[in-house]
Amino acid sequence: IVHRPVRIATRLGVFAAVAASEELIFRGYLFGLLEHRWGRRSALGVTSVAFAAMHLFNPGATAVSLASVAAAGLLLGAVRLATGSVVAAFLAHLAINWVQAVIFRLPVSGLELGRPPGFRMEAIGPAWLTGGRWGLEGGVVAAAAFLVISFLLLGVRPPTEGGPRRR
């Protein structure tokens, strides 16, 4: 019998590996390359759409779920811009997936991730609103939350060198 802490550590390792690889590709390499060539806005838009496109063949993908994943990509890009850190984007990505799969025991991006026995949340309502079989991040509610948080983060600017600082 595998003990619960070992299962949790294994799941955390898998979630961390997936989030790290996606963030290194999209908010690390690709974002940096596009930002250098075309600027931040273009990098943010292109990487968000590319992030959604990578999920195109996940089970149950719909136009709404992919648009919501693009909004999640925008959020993760906004985290990178606001903090200047791919690690912060990785931690945000990991947290989003962890809460869905382990806390709420729902699918993540259409993937059933071997939920342990016990309680399970059920998304009640139309799939376009709740994400349905895709998971919470595939619905309009999550997309709206991702967009609001993104715009709040994008309004945050780090202090410039030599500029006024808050204490």
Side-chain angles (χ1 to χ4, degrees):
I1 295 176
V2 177
H3 296 286
R4 184 161 173 77
V6 172
R7 286 190 306 229
I8 290 173
T10 301
R11 289 178 131 213
L12 183 58
V14 170
F15 279 96
V18 170
S21 62
E22 289 180 356
E23 291 312 307
L24 286 172
I25 292 166
F26 291 100
R27 262 61 65 185
Y29 176 74
L30 186 58
F31 190 97
L33 178 70
L34 295 172
E35 181 182 29
H36 177 73
R37 290 190 181 173
W38 298 334
R40 287 182 173 178
R41 287 185 183 162
S42 294
L44 196 54
V46 170
T47 57
S48 297
V49 170
F51 183 64
M54 184 192 70
H55 293 82
L56 183 64
F57 297 107
N58 284 28
T62 65
V64 173
S65 66
L66 294 173
S68 188
V69 171
L74 180 70
L75 168 66
L76 296 169
V79 168
R80 183 202 188 276
L81 284 173
T83 64
S85 171
V86 175
V87 173
F90 154 72
L91 292 172
H93 191 155
L94 179 60
I96 290 166
N97 290 350
W98 183 262
V99 166
Q100 281 186 109
V102 177
I103 306 300
F104 293 144
R105 299 178 185 197
L106 291 170
V108 176
S109 299
L111 302 172
E112 294 286 340
L113 300 170
R115 288 173 264 152
F119 78 91
R120 173 185 169 162
M121 288 190 65
E122 293 289 332
I124 298 174
W128 64 267
L129 184 65
T130 65
R133 292 182 313 136
W134 181 267
L136 286 177
E137 92 278 21
V140 171
V141 171
F146 294 148
L147 291 174
V148 167
I149 296 167
S150 297
F151 290 118
L152 291 172
L153 285 172
L154 292 171
V156 173
R157 299 284 184 258
T160 57
E161 204 55 40
R165 296 182 185 259
R166 292 184 187 167
R167 291 185 186 225

